[in-house]
Amino acid sequence: MTFAPNQQLNCCIAWLESSVTEHHRQKVFRVIPQNDEQVEIINSLSNHMQVDFWQPDSVTLVRPKMQVDFRVEADKSFEVENLLKENGVEYRVLIDNLQAALDAQFDSKVRTTGHSYEKYNNWETIAAWTADIAAQNPDLVSRSVIGETYEGQPIYLLQVGKSGENKKAIFIDCGFHAREWISPAFCQWFVKEAVETYGKDTVLTTLLNNLDFYVLPVVNIDGYVYTWTNDRMWRKTRSKNAGSVCTGTDLNRNFNAGWCTIGASDNPCDSTYCGSAPESEKESKALADFIREHLSTIQAYVTIHSYSQLLLFPYSYTYSLPSNYAELESIARAATKQLTSLYKTKYTYGPGATTIYAAAGGSDDWAYDQGIKYSFTFELRDTGRYGFILPESQIKPTCEETLLAVKYIANYVLEHLY
Ligand SMILES: [Zn+2]
């Protein structure tokens, strides 16, 4: 093990210090606009003050009857409440004091300052973990670098599985959106389960004997680092945009799947900015290059996001249904049933466009159009009580239940290789 003893602690103190002023007394509101007029009020609200949309991803995606969660600066929350009240828009305060919620997210009982599967690990710790887990399990895990980020960080990929001839593979990635911390936690958990239960859990053992799993623990490394050092609520990459003061591209709008046609923004200052071109980001390019190079083996693509408790499949960039819609629908139904069986966590499933909203440039649609016919997006816990700042005490149950669904999908794929 190569843990730097105080690495994580130092990081957390720095993180707390930098975020104290920033998020103090900020609030997260939930509104369900009843009609176009009320959608208009939310629109005008976001035009007049800094509003950070948690769900949907952008104000442009807000429609009547949709659950809308957004974060407001402390000094503006009174104004927002008044505006909503005056216009008869019903609202709830989901998080009354964001800083208190941010402090409460580190509620893990685990007492280590190094890597832990039941804590949120910073990038340094995760990077060291990728090396350690490969070194400790040479017969099951190997690490490679598939590219580097805008800021020059190596993008690590773990190949997990027993070596064998002509094996097919499943690709799983985490950490597209920087603030969705539960996502990288799942990728780490998945690899842990693989190495700890190999030879014990019959389903997982069969899977690892017959398939390889390509696990990309954090795609948007620069953004993830930034959520630890500067702004916990950051979503996009950290690339500079020519001719704009605003930073970053939404990686999940940056793929060549109806790119920037719907549910994405061409304004670099928006949280759903699609980038200057498909795969303009080094991270999406590295991921897409890897998948293109391994298309003959990759049978399924699984991408992990949060939050909302959804299992989505293509399409999101069009309302048209994928050709194997019935099959994807039945896989999603069975996978979510497995997931729910453990802790009764309710999931909704369906094609992205009709289940949440139309949004172009997503990696799941892109992978599907490359010919990977089993393509899924998970939106993990919760449904808004904590949103992106899910407490560490929920990492274990969230990962356990999600693993059941992923195992179901992988097993289905193994029985339906193509
Ligand atoms: Zn996301």
Side-chain angles (χ1 to χ4, degrees):
M1 289 277 197
T2 52
F3 290 141
N6 282 320
Q7 183 182 43
Q8 185 131 10
L9 189 65
N10 289 339
C11 164
C12 295
I13 291 166
W15 174 77
L16 283 169
E17 281 170 353
S18 69
S19 64
V20 162
T21 45
E22 233 176 302
H23 299 296
H24 193 59
R25 288 176 49 237
Q26 290 183 348
K27 287 189 199 307
V28 178
F29 288 90
R30 170 167 295 171
V31 175
I32 302 178
Q34 293 304 310
N35 48 44
D36 289 334
E37 244 165 76
Q38 299 198 345
V39 169
E40 218 23 70
I41 289 158
I42 297 173
N43 262 301
S44 70
L45 193 144
S46 83
N47 286 337
H48 291 105
M49 49 193 98
Q50 274 266 310
V51 175
D52 169 32
F53 281 81
W54 281 23
Q55 183 188 261
D57 299 330
S58 155
V59 67
T60 56
L61 298 166
V62 174
R63 301 284 179 272
K65 310 284 181 193
M66 184 185 271
Q67 191 169 284
V68 182
D69 301 345
F70 56 87
R71 173 176 64 104
V72 180
E73 296 300 321
D75 58 336
K76 292 284 190 279
S77 63
F78 192 67
E79 216 175 310
V80 168
E81 282 195 65
N82 274 343
L83 191 87
L84 293 172
K85 274 182 201 156
E86 276 169 20
N87 289 284
V89 183
E90 278 186 47
Y91 69 93
R92 246 177 74 197
V93 177
L94 274 185
I95 299 174
D96 186 52
N97 181 339
L98 189 67
Q99 189 56 50
L102 283 168
D103 297 343
Q105 81 190 307
F106 296 113
D107 67 341
S108 174
K109 301 275 185 287
V110 177
R111 295 250 178 266
T112 176
T113 52
H115 182 271
S116 167
Y117 292 104
E118 295 185 45
K119 288 173 63 170
Y120 294 121
N121 300 298
N122 65 21
W123 172 243
E124 234 181 315
T125 308
I126 296 173
W129 166 83
T130 61
D132 291 341
I133 195 111
Q136 290 158 10
N137 302 277
D139 52 336
L140 273 178
V141 183
S142 63
R143 184 179 85 158
S144 61
V145 175
I146 63 159
E148 62 174 42
T149 67
Y150 178 81
E151 292 175 348
Q153 299 270 13
I155 303 172
Y156 294 120
L157 179 87
L158 296 173
Q159 181 174 345
V160 185
K162 202 80 183 163
S163 66
E165 291 292 297
N166 302 318
K167 286 177 83 186
K168 299 287 188 181
I170 292 179
F171 190 98
I172 304 175
D173 62 49
C174 294
F176 253 69
H177 291 135
R179 62 191 177 183
E180 299 166 6
W181 282 11
I182 187 63
S183 167
F186 175 75
C187 270
Q188 293 163 68
W189 188 275
F190 179 86
V191 179
K192 168 189 95 82
E193 285 294 311
V195 301
E196 282 180 2
T197 65
Y198 182 79
K200 296 171 195 148
D201 177 298
T202 50
V203 177
L204 210 50
T205 304
T206 305
L207 289 171
L208 293 163
N209 283 339
N210 295 288
L211 288 171
D212 285 323
F213 291 86
Y214 293 121
V215 181
L216 208 175
V218 183
V219 183
N220 179 11
I221 299 165
D222 299 346
Y224 188 71
V225 168
Y226 194 74
T227 60
W228 282 82
T229 56
N230 291 66
D231 180 1
R232 174 67 181 84
M233 290 303 133
W234 190 255
R235 165 182 170 89
K236 298 189 286 181
T237 61
R238 293 296 304 159
S239 59
K240 300 274 176 287
N241 292 307
S244 172
V245 293
C246 296
T247 300
T249 287
D250 183 344
L251 275 184
N252 212 28
R253 299 292 189 282
N254 194 232
F255 285 77
N256 198 5
W259 180 74
C260 222
T261 50
I262 189 168
S265 168
D266 57 9
N267 178 353
C269 295
D270 286 343
S271 60
T272 54
Y273 177 51
C274 60
S276 56
E279 297 175 26
S280 60
E281 301 305 284
K282 292 183 78 176
E283 299 82 3
S284 44
K285 175 81 164 59
L287 193 157
D289 280 345
F290 181 87
I291 289 180
R292 275 188 288 261
E293 282 159 24
H294 295 82
L295 267 184
S296 59
T297 55
I298 296 174
Q299 304 279 293
Y301 173 79
V302 177
T303 182
I304 310 288
H305 289 251
S306 77
Y307 60 96
S308 287
Q309 295 173 196
L310 300 167
L311 181 50
L312 305 172
F313 51 82
Y315 282 108
S316 289
Y317 73 83
T318 170
Y319 291 95
S320 306
L321 295 177
S323 58
N324 61 336
Y325 167 76
E327 186 183 24
L328 291 174
E329 210 260 353
S330 81
I331 298 170
R333 185 195 312 125
T336 53
K337 195 179 167 196
Q338 287 288 316
L339 188 155
T340 302
S341 69
L342 196 56
Y343 295 112
K344 299 192 167 63
T345 308
K346 276 199 185 138
Y347 259 62
T348 306
Y349 58 88
T354 49
T355 309
I356 41 170
Y357 41 75
S363 62
D364 54 351
D365 281 357
W366 175 81
Y368 184 81
D369 282 349
Q370 294 297 299
I372 300 172
K373 64 181 197 179
Y374 304 115
S375 180
F376 295 95
T377 296
F378 279 84
E379 296 280 355
L380 304 186
R381 290 190 193 184
D382 55 12
T383 55
R385 167 75 181 84
Y386 296 102
F388 300 118
I389 42 182
L390 195 70
E392 286 179 326
S393 54
Q394 290 201 40
I395 293 175
K396 183 170 184 273
T398 303
C399 291
E400 285 173 336
E401 67 190 10
T402 308
L403 184 68
L404 293 181
V406 170
K407 273 164 76 173
Y408 178 86
I409 292 170
N411 207 46
Y412 182 93
V413 169
L414 181 58
E415 288 170 357
H416 297 81
L417 295 178
Y418 56 95

